[in-house]
Amino acid sequence: MCAINNTPKKIIHFNEHGINQHTYSANMGLSKTANFAFTAFKNEGCRYAIFLDQDTVVEMSLLETYIDRVIEFLQKNPNFVCCSIVNDNTIPFHSFDSVKRIRNSGTVFNLNNFISAKGFNENYFVDMMDYEFSIRASHLGYFFAKYNVDNGFDHESEQGNRHVNIFGKRIRVRKYPLQRVFNILSGIFSLTFKSLKSNNWSMAFHLIT
């Protein structure tokens, strides 16, 4: 197992559990560190890898079962670049469905397809890197899926989100620095234009709504 640490300080408990730790001297961004880890896994002969953020809570007793089911799906569907483990209640539990884009944390990647699609664009430090990859990979003929589970995966409780009601609809919001808000809006504008240019109308609509 490989862990990417964006600080110069070694995390001791990683070493205690036999996790290979690569440490950067500064925060190099999510896209660059993910590319490094996935390339390292591929060079070690791995065919699949799961991406987990530090704020995703998982039940280890269920994680292996979920990963096995997702890998089986990816093996049967070689034109899918990845499948995200989610708990969003939009489809029956323990079923698969196609989606327009990847989700970062909880996503299992087919590494051959990920490398073939040139990985994440490192010009996107964190925000919008998943959208940019999805647009580019879709243009190359790849697809994305989600696998819905009823427990064992929590993407929200550690994120510091709050919810507000707008016209009766419950919206999840999070406080960001002004510069990050500007980067997100700039990314939405440029990727919407890129989607329209590649005739990916559904992604363009998804970005602006």
Side-chain angles (χ1 to χ4, degrees):
M1 184 179 294
C2 178
I4 306 299
N5 178 16
N6 273 340
T7 71
K9 183 178 180 180
K10 288 283 186 179
I11 300 177
I12 297 174
H13 69 263
F14 280 172
N15 299 329
E16 292 175 348
H17 292 280
I19 298 174
N20 180 26
Q21 183 177 179
H22 182 86
T23 301
Y24 285 103
S25 59
N27 186 349
M28 303 301 292
L30 202 58
S31 55
K32 184 171 184 175
T33 51
N35 284 342
F36 175 89
F38 288 172
T39 300
F41 287 148
K42 181 68 168 58
N43 291 338
E44 292 171 5
C46 297
R47 296 177 58 195
Y48 303 94
I50 186 169
F51 182 104
L52 291 171
D53 279 339
Q54 78 280 1
D55 53 9
T56 297
V57 180
V58 300
E59 289 186 25
M60 296 304 294
S61 60
L62 295 173
L63 181 61
E64 186 174 353
T65 299
Y66 292 160
I67 291 176
D68 286 345
R69 291 174 181 170
V70 169
I71 289 178
E72 182 180 3
F73 171 86
L74 293 174
Q75 288 174 333
K76 292 179 179 178
N77 298 274
N79 54 343
F80 279 73
V81 70
C82 62
C83 179
S84 301
I85 301 171
V86 301
N87 50 1
D88 59 9
N89 301 323
T90 59
I91 59 174
F93 292 129
H94 304 292
S95 63
F96 293 88
D97 195 16
S98 295
V99 292
K100 294 183 178 68
R101 69 173 184 92
I102 70 168
R103 302 186 184 195
N104 287 335
S105 191
T107 297
V108 179
F109 287 85
N110 177 323
L111 292 180
N112 283 331
N113 292 349
F114 179 82
I115 299 299
S116 176
K118 308 301 183 185
F120 292 116
N121 185 337
E122 295 180 7
N123 291 322
Y124 291 81
F125 191 79
V126 175
D127 299 303
M128 310 308 294
M129 60 178 257
D130 46 355
Y131 283 91
E132 194 281 333
F133 177 83
S134 300
I135 294 169
R136 189 159 33 86
S138 294
H139 189 68
L140 294 172
Y142 291 117
F143 298 92
F144 321 100
K146 65 180 177 182
Y147 173 60
N148 196 28
V149 300
D150 52 350
N151 57 24
F153 249 83
D154 180 1
H155 296 295
E156 291 191 25
S157 63
E158 297 295 320
Q159 290 186 341
N161 296 323
R162 65 187 184 92
H163 293 83
V164 297
N165 289 315
I166 300 178
F167 299 115
K169 186 175 181 180
R170 193 166 183 256
I171 305 294
R172 186 178 63 185
V173 296
R174 192 189 311 180
K175 186 177 181 180
Y176 281 141
L178 186 60
Q179 182 59 48
R180 188 169 181 182
V181 173
F182 175 80
N183 291 339
I184 293 172
L185 293 175
S186 177
I188 290 173
F189 177 80
S190 63
L191 291 178
T192 299
F193 178 77
K194 186 175 182 179
S195 298
L196 293 172
K197 189 175 180 180
S198 61
N199 293 321
N200 191 341
W201 299 97
S202 61
M203 177 61 80
F205 180 78
H206 182 69
L207 282 162
I208 62 177
T209 57

